[in-house]
Amino acid sequence: MIIAERKPMEEIKQAMAPYKKVLVAGCGTCVTVCWVGGEKEVEILASQLRLARSAEGNEIVTLEATVERQCEKEMVTELKDKVAEVEAVLSLACGAGVQTMAELFEDKPIFPAVNTTFIGMPEKEGLWVEMCGACGDCFLDRTGGICPIVRCAKGLLNGPCGGTRKGGKCEIDPEKDCAWVLIYRRLEKQGRLDLMREYNPPKNFRAVKRPGRIQAVKI
Amino acid sequence: METRIGIFLCNCGGGMKNIDFDAVAEKVARMPGVTCVNLVSHLCLDEGREKMIASIREENLDRVIVAACSPEFKEHIFRQALEDAGLNGHLLAMANIREQCSWAHEGDVTEKAVELIKMATNRARLLQPLERKELPVNREVLVIGGGFSAIDTALHLSRLGLRTTLLEKEAVLGTGTGEWQSLHGFDNSSMTAAVEGDRNIDVLASARMTAAEGTIGDFTVTITREGEEISRKYGAIVLATGFRTELAPTSTLKLRTQAEPISGISIVSQEQLFHMLHNSIVEAKPRTIGFMFDFSDENSRFPTLTTLNNALAAKNKWGSEIYIFCKNVKVDSEGAEKLYREARECGVVFLKCETTPRMSMDNGRVAVEARDVFLGEDTVIACDLLVAEELLLPIAGTETLSSLLNIRLDSRGFYQDENVHLYPVASEKKGVFVIGWCRGNLDMGRVLTDISSVVMSVHGLLSSGKILVEVERVKVDPQKCVACLTCIRVCPHGAIQLVRVDGDKEVAGISDLACDACGICSAICPAKAIKFQGYRDEEILAQIEAIGES
Amino acid sequence: MNGCIVAFCCEHSAYPAADLAGRLRLHYPESLRVIRVPCAGRVDVIHILKAFENGASAVLVLGCEDGACHHITGNTRAKERVKYCNMLLKEVEVDGRPVAMFNLSPNTPHKFVRAVNEITKIIKESGR
């Protein structure tokens, strides 16, 4: 899923400074699951904004709404009436959600309240780790299902780099596992260590033509 | 429909002199939706309750506020009064104007009392009825373990008419009771014989639990015995798996620890010493014996007992000189103080040391070098026999069982009791109990208490064959749930699972039976999909909004 | 609610402790408003923030002693949430609004009173 992280409050406050009435809009999918943009976070951010502004003696009115997926026009349309009421929208969705919102409500400034950071998974309650770089040319079959592009600090396609620490930790961050040690161990378990000897040619990152566009087969 | 709120003010027979009740009554009567305000002097007595019931009926009330003592004392009585008047008991809100208002402050607190009632009224407007229903429970009990506490629990439960299965990993019951025997001279053969003759007890030996699912009243357990899998259903599970000991790791110990210390000069464990004292023929009586305990584990209640018992026995049988090296002697278990006095009286020497003594081999004897804090100097004592410190550890397999049943272990690896003071034998999972040694270091008296409390708890839970639960007290809104699994990960009682609704959408579902109503899930849910009736966000925020309104 | 202290009290520990304080006539400031919760873990960030929005001068979250929470992790979660809340308030530079968590058991009314007095002192010092 898409993982995001709340922007610094200072930035949000500054962005909201000119407005007296805003809509804080959450998204009920990825960002809800990673605890940054669901109904709960919408409520907290709105409350924070109100507190901040009332301390300045410059009250702000906040409307709150969370749609199931902010990246779907049909679902965002539900917010039409609320958007009409406010001067600006503060969106807690990923970049796709913010843009959907911006496209639907062209006359209103839409501000992102979160930074969309990566595609990842929960390692445990409340901790998300990056798993996929969305490179568009997946070779997980050759690396035992572990992606070195995002999980190796250097993004090496052929590793390890030679700087692996004792215990299989990364030389750049001793807290993190060396992805290539993980790959080695996984392949060892599968009896496919010969893959370690094979050279992975440089990736063709042009596999994804920007902007990315995928047309599913019509059924 | 407009809510019809009835407020009942109780002045506790004049026990709240710093509240002007007439003024309170006048003020609260002006709140929207308030149909009637009744001032009663003893609402909790029969006359008060009758008045309350009559008023609920006459005024056709649908919300009741009781402004009186703390809900901790009489809430259940007032709930019952609501039920008797034909109203759901959960439509009651209490304002604690006695303990937390009148009695807590010195001056006139009429205003505060009014505000507390307003808070309760605001909450009451939002309260929703909560139904209760009886669910059937399985009356069979699974006791895991084959030691003293397991067997005794099974025998007690059987006498109360509950069928019990004893699940023992060894081939026969009672194999791990060595230390008990040495300590209390109890003979396990009479207990195992009692089990054999009991038709209510089923013994599954050489068997292990390999899977468990379900909740209180309805556990399905997979048991593997000699490669064969058996599936059985139980209403409750009791863990009485006991403990094991290991000699405290010290490099010198390895030198001369012997499995069969017949020669008499060595480093031994408490159990080996017991066998030397009672069963084996010792060629040369040890002249000097050293004991060590309480250095690695502060919780040394049991080592204190074994040491004192064995020291006394050795003194009586061999007349040896005895030195006990320890940090502290724990004499809070029954009889320990007396044993300690006896030991002192017959000449056993206690050396209180802050650090673990150093040991070395000296001509076949063990030289123990320690600094006694009272003497203030180093002492070297050459012992013919050293009884080494033992670590008390959870038995192998504890981790597996804990993960199968989804219950936690404490920092030492024993099963964590739910609340050491209030509910010592309950685990965090309803219907799973932990008793005796497997929940930590205990002594006989405490084990017996554990057994009786688990027997009482299980009997109370299962004897009637049904259990009364509140239906959907904590509920997931399937429309709002995004199945992020957060609640499933955080529920301390393992009460939440993914369930399929509307054909196949997967969402979190809370088991009414297993839920203990803490509200942790509803506080953490990022989609705000979990509602805890009585403590919903609206109900909590409504109280906050009432503060300082006037 | 100008200047009130809102105390979320766990019904297994702090709430009975508050009752006991009353029975023993251990006095504490009248501005305290207790909200009973089933566990400190039920107290959510938004409850605390809304209390401040309504003009509370301080918020207390009172739960069971460490390691003795009736619901195992409720009190530790509450502690984390209180920390988080302080961070959120600091972010918006709303200072002098203390949120504090205290652990107590049902038989420690003096601890309850101490918690209330401590937070009252903090409010006074911050001049609100």
Side-chain angles (χ1 to χ4, degrees):
Chain A
M1 88 191 113
I2 294 168
I3 310 295
E5 126 185 277
R6 243 274 310 278
K7 275 184 177 288
M9 192 61 203
E10 202 38 48
E11 196 181 327
I12 299 175
K13 253 167 64 184
Q14 261 175 24
M16 291 299 108
Y19 308 109
K20 295 258 182 218
K21 191 170 186 183
V22 297
L23 169 67
V24 185
C27 171
T29 309
C30 309
V31 290
T32 295
V33 177
C34 69
W35 303 7
V36 286
E39 192 172 331
K40 184 187 171 86
E41 266 62 39
V42 165
E43 192 176 72
I44 291 173
L45 181 59
S47 175
Q48 264 188 301
L49 269 179
R50 290 193 299 267
L51 274 167
R53 292 284 286 268
S54 99
E56 288 167 10
N58 177 18
E59 307 275 343
I60 187 168
V61 177
T62 52
L63 302 188
E64 296 165 29
T66 303
V67 292
E68 187 161 346
R69 286 198 296 278
Q70 235 185 75
C71 55
E72 306 269 14
K73 282 185 190 164
E74 290 83 345
M75 289 173 174
V76 180
T77 314
E78 289 169 24
L79 300 178
K80 199 170 62 192
D81 297 341
K82 281 190 171 153
V83 174
E85 260 187 73
V86 297
E87 301 158 61
V89 178
L90 189 57
S91 165
L92 280 91
C94 70
V98 175
Q99 293 186 50
T100 312
M101 191 77 115
E103 203 171 318
L104 265 178
F105 308 113
E106 279 182 316
D107 54 333
K108 288 279 153 77
I110 315 287
F111 294 90
V114 304
N115 289 321
T116 309
T117 39
F118 55 76
I119 300 176
M121 60 162 270
E123 192 173 284
K124 58 178 187 197
E125 173 209 337
L127 175 68
W128 287 272
V129 290
E130 184 167 14
M131 295 306 263
C132 173
C135 69
D137 182 18
C138 192
F139 76 133
L140 282 168
D141 54 323
R142 302 167 61 83
T143 57
I146 293 161
C147 178
I149 295 176
V150 294
R151 294 175 68 182
C152 162
K154 302 175 184 178
L156 291 183
L157 296 181
N158 296 282
C161 62
T164 312
R165 287 171 193 252
K166 223 176 165 184
K169 296 292 176 185
C170 173
E171 73 169 341
I172 290 173
D173 183 351
E175 295 284 301
K176 287 179 184 152
D177 289 324
C178 166
W180 277 101
V181 170
L182 296 179
I183 293 169
Y184 181 91
R185 295 209 175 116
R186 180 75 54 80
L187 290 175
E188 190 180 27
K189 256 187 208 161
Q190 298 176 350
R192 297 162 74 205
L193 273 179
D194 50 314
L195 279 171
M196 287 296 288
R197 293 191 180 280
E198 273 180 39
Y199 168 66
N200 291 313
K203 252 180 173 317
N204 180 7
F205 284 107
R206 281 180 303 172
V208 204
K209 283 194 192 119
R210 301 280 177 209
R213 174 180 287 270
I214 291 168
Q215 171 69 61
V217 180
K218 286 254 167 71
I219 44 168
Chain B
M1 199 187 84
E2 178 78 11
T3 51
R4 295 180 63 83
I5 301 169
I7 297 179
F8 295 86
L9 298 171
C10 174
N11 65 10
C12 200
M16 292 180 253
K17 298 228 183 301
N18 50 356
I19 295 177
D20 178 350
F21 277 87
D22 293 326
V24 172
E26 195 199 315
K27 282 189 177 160
V28 297
R30 277 186 255 143
M31 283 189 291
V34 174
T35 311
C36 63
V37 179
N38 299 281
L39 188 54
V40 190
S41 69
H42 286 292
L43 195 62
C44 58
L45 299 183
D46 281 348
E47 53 189 83
R49 282 206 313 270
E50 275 156 23
K51 200 171 167 187
M52 191 169 155
I53 294 168
S55 176
I56 294 172
R57 286 189 179 137
E58 274 163 31
E59 302 281 348
N60 198 17
L61 300 176
D62 60 5
R63 295 289 188 283
V64 176
I65 316 294
V66 171
C69 53
S70 167
E72 294 283 319
F73 303 112
K74 303 277 166 64
E75 193 175 35
H76 58 287
I77 290 179
F78 300 128
R79 273 199 206 289
Q80 189 56 48
L82 262 72
E83 301 271 345
D84 293 345
L87 204 57
N88 188 286
H90 281 269
L91 299 172
L92 166 82
M94 288 193 69
N96 184 347
I97 59 166
R98 195 176 75 170
E99 280 81 358
Q100 295 183 11
C101 183
S102 168
W103 290 1
H105 310 299
E106 263 176 330
D108 180 82
V109 285
T110 307
E111 279 307 313
K112 179 165 178 174
V114 171
E115 202 163 295
L116 294 184
I117 297 169
K118 281 189 175 172
M119 285 166 71
T121 313
N122 259 16
R123 172 167 175 255
R125 284 198 186 94
L126 302 166
L127 290 176
Q128 290 173 355
L130 204 55
E131 297 307 323
R132 278 183 297 181
K133 89 174 170 204
E134 276 181 345
L135 292 177
V137 289
N138 190 313
R139 291 182 76 240
E140 287 199 29
V141 187
L142 174 66
V143 179
I144 303 180
F148 176 79
S149 19
I151 298 175
D152 205 34
T153 304
L155 288 170
H156 275 92
L157 288 172
S158 153
R159 251 171 266 151
L160 290 168
L162 294 170
R163 275 195 66 82
T164 308
T165 302
L166 269 173
L167 185 70
E168 167 61 45
K169 63 178 172 19
E170 306 295 339
V172 283
L173 293 178
T175 44
T177 50
E179 298 243 3
W180 277 124
Q181 292 186 47
S182 68
L183 203 53
H184 301 283
F186 105 94
D187 172 19
N188 65 33
S189 58
S190 62
M191 288 183 89
T192 44
V195 168
E196 273 164 31
D198 197 319
R199 279 187 302 169
N200 257 345
I201 303 178
D202 195 2
V203 179
L204 289 176
S206 308
R208 281 167 192 275
M209 183 171 87
T210 44
E213 53 184 50
T215 50
I216 180 172
D218 182 27
F219 289 105
T220 305
V221 174
T222 309
I223 295 163
T224 307
R225 188 173 53 169
E226 289 152 5
E228 177 198 359
E229 281 199 350
I230 319 163
S231 175
R232 293 213 181 172
K233 285 185 172 289
Y234 296 99
I237 299 174
V238 179
L239 295 175
T241 52
F243 73 113
R244 68 188 171 92
T245 56
E246 202 173 81
L247 290 190
T250 310
S251 57
T252 46
L253 282 182
K254 285 184 200 131
L255 299 173
R256 290 290 298 264
T257 312
Q258 292 181 4
E260 290 296 324
I262 302 299
S263 67
I265 301 169
S266 185
I267 296 173
V268 295
S269 70
Q270 298 276 9
E271 200 174 346
Q272 285 167 332
L273 174 67
F274 178 79
H275 285 294
M276 287 170 74
L277 281 163
H278 297 271
N279 305 333
S280 344
I281 299 151
V282 179
E283 287 162 15
K285 285 178 189 172
R287 274 171 295 131
T288 316
I289 306 178
F291 284 87
M292 278 172 54
F293 71 92
D294 196 51
F295 292 104
S296 330
D297 189 351
E298 282 196 350
N299 205 344
S300 56
R301 200 173 276 140
F302 183 67
T304 303
L305 283 175
T306 34
T307 303
L308 292 174
N309 266 300
N310 283 340
L312 278 168
K315 193 88 193 168
N316 290 336
K317 187 160 179 181
W318 296 329
S320 321
E321 270 180 43
I322 292 173
Y323 296 91
I324 294 178
F325 302 89
C326 59
K327 243 191 210 168
N328 289 300
V329 182
K330 263 215 172 98
V331 289
D332 68 337
S333 36
E334 210 171 295
E337 181 80 49
K338 182 168 162 274
L339 279 176
Y340 175 69
R341 207 174 45 241
E342 272 179 40
R344 295 295 294 252
E345 280 165 6
C346 70
V348 172
V349 180
F350 289 81
L351 291 123
K352 182 177 167 64
C353 321
E354 282 304 322
T355 48
T356 314
R358 287 176 297 280
M359 283 173 285
S360 52
M361 280 309 190
D362 174 20
N363 273 337
R365 302 175 91 193
V366 189
V368 183
E369 190 186 347
R371 188 178 180 83
D372 182 289
V373 290
F374 295 122
L375 292 174
E377 57 187 53
D378 290 332
T379 321
V380 184
I381 292 163
C383 305
D384 299 320
L385 191 65
L386 180 75
V387 186
E389 179 173 18
E390 283 175 350
L391 297 180
L392 303 171
L393 301 165
I395 58 150
T398 301
E399 264 180 57
T400 322
L401 272 181
S402 81
S403 67
L404 284 178
L405 289 166
N406 211 352
I407 58 172
R408 234 160 289 210
L409 300 177
D410 67 13
S411 55
R412 294 178 304 150
F414 289 99
Y415 296 114
Q416 173 81 54
D417 26 44
E418 207 245 29
N419 181 311
V420 73
H421 306 296
L422 298 172
Y423 315 94
V425 299
S427 77
E428 66 209 77
K429 190 156 174 162
K430 277 208 238 169
V432 178
F433 300 88
V434 286
I435 61 163
W437 287 96
C438 64
R439 71 181 186 93
N441 186 9
L442 302 156
D443 58 74
M444 192 62 174
R446 286 174 168 85
V447 167
L448 290 171
T449 317
D450 270 18
I451 295 169
S452 33
S453 45
V454 82
V455 168
M456 296 286 278
S457 307
V458 171
H459 183 254
L461 206 62
L462 306 181
S463 61
S464 69
K466 56 200 177 208
I467 193 167
L468 195 64
V469 294
E470 280 160 331
V471 183
E472 297 184 334
R473 176 154 198 202
V474 187
K475 185 176 187 281
V476 179
D477 177 352
Q479 293 303 314
K480 291 183 95 177
C481 176
V482 294
C484 68
L485 312 181
T486 304
C487 56
I488 296 174
R489 291 186 184 121
V490 305
C491 175
H493 306 290
I496 315 181
Q497 285 175 318
L498 271 187
V499 292
R500 291 193 184 276
V501 292
D502 305 337
D504 63 355
K505 189 190 172 196
E506 270 195 306
V507 297
I510 300 174
S511 152
D512 288 335
L513 267 174
C515 174
D516 207 14
C518 59
I520 291 176
C521 58
S522 69
I524 210 162
C525 175
K528 300 190 76 71
I530 305 179
K531 300 279 182 222
F532 181 169
Q533 290 301 341
Y535 296 102
R536 288 177 300 152
D537 277 353
E538 301 90 295
E539 287 153 344
I540 291 174
L541 295 176
Q543 294 177 68
I544 292 172
E545 278 156 21
I547 302 174
E549 233 180 15
S550 49
Chain C
M1 58 154 101
N2 292 327
C4 275
I5 302 166
V6 176
F8 294 98
C9 290
C10 159
E11 68 181 22
H12 297 284
S13 55
Y15 199 87
D19 282 346
L20 198 50
R23 273 188 277 158
L24 296 174
R25 308 298 195 277
L26 301 174
H27 301 303
Y28 50 84
E30 254 178 69
S31 56
L32 189 81
R33 296 289 179 274
V34 169
I35 292 178
R36 191 181 183 212
V37 285
C39 171
R42 171 67 192 102
V43 181
D44 195 1
V45 176
I46 194 67
H47 304 149
I48 299 171
L49 294 182
K50 281 268 171 91
F52 286 127
E53 280 195 62
N54 274 289
S57 60
V59 174
L60 281 173
V61 179
L62 304 176
C64 300
E65 290 285 6
D66 270 343
C69 173
H70 181 78
H71 298 292
I72 327 288
T73 56
N75 57 357
T76 44
R77 285 185 193 283
K79 196 157 250 171
E80 289 304 312
R81 260 171 232 160
V82 164
K83 246 197 255 167
Y84 178 53
C85 230
N86 274 314
M87 193 273 283
L88 291 174
L89 288 165
K90 207 174 152 208
E91 254 185 1
V92 291
E93 290 159 17
V94 178
D95 39 15
R97 306 212 190 187
V99 193
M101 163 100 193
F102 289 91
N103 301 87
L104 57 164
S105 48
N107 59 354
T108 52
H110 54 284
K111 266 189 150 177
F112 174 82
V113 175
R114 203 191 303 150
V116 182
N117 287 339
E118 246 171 68
I119 202 103
T120 313
K121 205 173 125 207
I122 296 173
I123 303 166
K124 276 199 184 128
E125 277 166 8
S126 72
R128 278 178 62 91

